[in-house]
Amino acid sequence: MVTYIVRRLFTAVLILLGASFLVYQLTALSGDPLADLRTSNQPNKEELIQQRIELLDLNVPAPIRYFHWLGGAAKCLVPFAGQCDLGFSITGQPVTEALGRAMGMTILLVSAAAILAVLIGVSLGIVTALRQYSTLDYGVTFMAFLFFSLPVFWVAVLLKEYVAIGFNNFLREPQIPLSSIIIISVVSAAIWFICARGTVPVRLKAAGVGFVLAGGVLWLLSATSWLSSPGLGLPVIAVTGAGIAFGATLLTAGLKNRRALYSSLTMVAVGIVVYFPIQPLLAQATGLMVFLLAVATILVGLGVGYVMGGYDRRQNMSAAVITSFLTAGLVLLDRYMQAWPAYFNNDRVNGRPIATIGAETPNLEGDFWVHGLDTFTHLLLPTIALLLISLASYSRYSRSSMLEIMNMDYIRTARAKGLGERTVVMRHAFRNALIPIATIVAYDIGGLIGGAVITERVFAFAGMGQLFIQALEHVDPNPVMGVFLVTGILALVFNLIADLVYSALDPRVRVKA
């Protein structure tokens, strides 16, 4: 394994060197970096031209200039080789500084969208494969291709108009009209009808439940002005946590494994017990503190699952960890909701929390929770835009892969041996269905880090995509090479990760040196 990784890394370095040389030469030959100064009317035009020539080393041929750049870039990759030097941009700014800021923006923008797209898309693909040719399958397929065919800039404009401007106007007096309650309830009933299984009368009953449930929740939210001062509270956390416990146990171990179920319910009980004592600590929260609390939550879940014992401690531990992590997420969500009035009424927000541009509100004052809400409200619209566009590919690929696996001989053999459907799907089919998805996920994540150019432009995110496009427009090779260096390394690394994931998912795959 080590020999294989070293060999792949060596090959990756050669590929990166060859590709970077070509990109540098193509960028350098794509235009004149002095064009704007040559047409300038400034009296010191010649001095400005000479300064830019010296800054970008333009008096040196492009092939030799590349090796000068490579010498500085090597310091970024080799520890203790010296200060990282990727040159200067055409404006005189160090590329490392511009790249660091752009990387932060891009990672902030695409990370949530990528994770949600993978989780939701793969889940939808698996569910629709298990219910092939059902109303749910046709509905998900239609919606997936609809969103995939929509231009991202058009989706972004619609989100700005209705989710940002319209919703902000609604929040001034958050009273839900009766007509809206009825329309949303009808939509909920239709979704419940599509998702339900069984005969038409059974599905109609499910639709009725969906109609009443949606209407009741919306009426309650409007009557209590919940949107002005939201919160979950201990009862909602307890009920939702119990549902999470049953769901996590069902997926990881099956409800017949009582020890796994008791492990999950124990973690819900722990979350309820510590809810009030932990509130003063959360009032002084920092990012590091939240991270350490998350680690502690996972360790406690592992410990509870192990102590429960039984014939399969691993199932107990898996169910307990999932339940504890999601229950802790509910507690954090409740704490964010408690900070909503302070954020909503902040002078810089001025009662319009859903942002349309940028990554943060300038000069915003507040604690950890207020700044967290500010980040969330700025990322909401671009995340939804990227998520809708990405769902189709993940759901279609996972559906196709799952259908192929479910028709394999070993799946029929597992069923013939008397294994339950949950065991057949989760232990035998699901894992192997993820093998082709690994390549797509690795490729997409590596590519997304390069920047979502259109989304960044619409929502005014100064990310890597914008940096790359602006550098190309001004024939500025150093920022282009900085973006290429990051995206190229990530693409090669994620491809290597995909190959290693193959061997972890499929025991038939053997990595040989």
Side-chain angles (χ1 to χ4, degrees):
M1 178 68 75
V2 175
T3 305
Y4 171 79
I5 294 175
V6 171
R7 187 177 63 188
R8 284 294 304 271
L9 291 176
F10 179 74
T11 305
V13 170
L14 295 180
I15 294 174
L16 192 63
L17 287 174
S20 63
F21 180 80
L22 289 176
V23 171
Y24 194 98
Q25 303 311 309
L26 291 174
T27 305
L29 297 174
S30 63
D32 183 9
L34 302 174
D36 60 323
L37 294 180
R38 296 187 195 279
T39 58
S40 173
N41 295 324
Q42 299 184 27
N44 59 340
K45 179 175 70 174
E46 296 300 328
E47 296 179 5
L48 294 175
I49 291 176
Q50 188 60 36
Q51 289 178 3
R52 184 172 293 182
I53 290 175
E54 295 176 358
L55 178 68
L56 302 181
D57 211 11
L58 297 177
N59 55 353
V60 176
I64 300 177
R65 205 188 317 154
Y66 164 78
F67 289 101
H68 291 173
W69 172 86
L70 184 63
K75 299 177 182 179
C76 304
L77 304 177
V78 180
F80 310 111
Q83 186 176 4
C84 181
D85 182 14
L86 295 176
F88 294 88
S89 69
I90 203 169
T91 60
Q93 182 184 25
V95 173
T96 52
E97 179 181 329
L99 189 62
R101 185 181 301 109
M103 281 182 61
M105 290 288 191
T106 295
I107 293 174
L108 191 66
L109 174 62
V110 306
S111 56
I115 294 172
L116 290 174
V118 172
L119 293 178
I120 298 175
V122 171
S123 299
L124 287 176
I126 299 299
V127 171
T128 52
L130 296 176
R131 298 180 58 182
Q132 187 182 16
Y133 302 134
S134 65
T135 308
L136 176 63
D137 185 20
Y138 289 127
V140 171
T141 300
F142 172 76
M143 296 304 296
F145 282 110
L146 174 64
F147 291 138
F148 184 74
S149 62
L150 295 177
V152 65
F153 60 86
W154 187 70
V155 174
V157 171
L158 290 180
L159 290 174
K160 281 187 173 185
E161 176 65 27
Y162 296 105
V163 181
I165 299 175
F167 190 68
N168 284 335
N169 292 336
F170 164 75
L171 287 178
R172 293 176 180 175
E173 295 182 4
Q175 300 297 319
I176 306 176
L178 180 60
S179 58
S180 299
I181 294 178
I182 294 175
I183 293 174
I184 297 174
S185 299
V186 170
V187 173
S188 173
I191 294 174
W192 280 65
F193 181 84
I194 292 173
C195 295
R197 304 184 66 173
T199 61
V200 173
V202 172
R203 298 170 70 185
L204 287 175
K205 291 180 181 178
V209 172
F211 182 89
V212 173
L213 186 62
V217 170
L218 291 175
W219 177 84
L220 185 63
L221 295 181
S222 180
T224 59
S225 299
W226 185 86
L227 293 174
S228 299
S229 182
L232 295 180
L234 198 57
V236 175
I237 293 176
V239 173
T240 308
I244 291 173
F246 278 92
T249 305
L250 179 64
L251 291 176
T252 58
L255 295 178
K256 292 183 179 180
N257 188 341
R258 294 299 181 182
R259 293 181 182 271
L261 179 59
Y262 295 153
S263 300
S264 299
L265 291 175
T266 299
M267 292 311 304
V268 177
V270 171
I272 295 173
V273 169
V274 303
Y275 175 79
F276 287 110
I278 204 174
Q279 293 300 319
L281 181 63
L282 292 179
Q284 307 297 325
T286 62
L288 178 60
M289 181 190 299
V290 173
F291 174 76
L292 294 177
L293 288 174
V295 173
T297 300
I298 293 174
L299 293 178
V300 172
L302 291 173
V304 169
Y306 183 84
V307 170
M308 281 293 178
Y311 64 91
D312 195 340
R313 281 191 169 98
R314 186 177 64 178
Q315 290 184 348
N316 304 346
M317 295 164 68
S318 298
V321 166
I322 294 174
T323 303
S324 62
F325 188 79
L326 294 179
T327 303
L330 291 175
V331 175
L332 287 181
L333 178 60
D334 179 74
R335 187 60 186 80
Y336 273 115
M337 288 181 174
Q338 294 176 31
W340 178 259
Y343 176 71
F344 183 83
N345 297 316
N346 192 288
D347 293 338
R348 303 298 301 177
V349 176
N350 197 26
R352 304 190 67 82
I354 308 301
T356 56
I357 60 172
E360 61 182 3
T361 301
N363 303 319
L364 178 68
E365 296 182 359
D367 58 7
F368 172 82
W369 306 104
V370 170
H371 284 280
L373 285 172
D374 186 60
T375 301
F376 169 77
T377 55
H378 281 78
L379 292 179
L380 180 62
L381 300 188
T383 298
I384 293 175
L386 292 174
L387 173 63
L388 293 178
I389 303 302
S390 304
L391 275 180
S393 59
Y394 290 123
S395 62
R396 293 300 89 196
Y397 277 115
S398 55
R399 178 183 182 275
S400 176
S401 178
M402 191 67 175
L403 285 175
E404 181 181 358
I405 295 299
M406 294 300 290
N407 291 322
M408 293 288 185
D409 290 338
Y410 69 88
I411 297 296
R412 286 190 286 268
T413 302
R415 285 172 171 159
K417 289 166 60 178
L419 294 179
E421 190 66 15
R422 186 202 65 83
T423 304
V424 171
V425 172
M426 297 302 298
R427 288 199 173 186
H428 294 270
F430 179 67
R431 179 173 176 173
N432 290 327
L434 292 178
I435 295 174
I437 307 300
T439 302
I440 304 167
V441 172
Y443 176 80
D444 283 355
I445 293 178
L448 277 175
I449 300 300
V453 177
I454 298 176
T455 307
E456 288 179 5
R457 183 178 291 271
V458 173
F459 291 103
F461 265 76
M464 293 180 65
Q466 288 292 92
L467 178 65
F468 185 80
I469 294 299
Q470 291 173 2
L472 283 179
E473 292 174 349
H474 294 91
V475 196
D476 194 0
N478 289 336
V480 171
M481 295 306 298
V483 174
F484 174 81
L485 184 66
V486 173
T487 55
I489 290 175
L490 287 175
L492 295 172
V493 168
F494 276 107
N495 280 331
L496 175 60
I497 292 174
D499 290 341
L500 298 179
V501 169
Y502 289 157
S503 63
L505 292 174
D506 191 350
R508 296 171 297 180
V509 176
R510 293 292 181 265
V511 181
K512 297 181 180 180

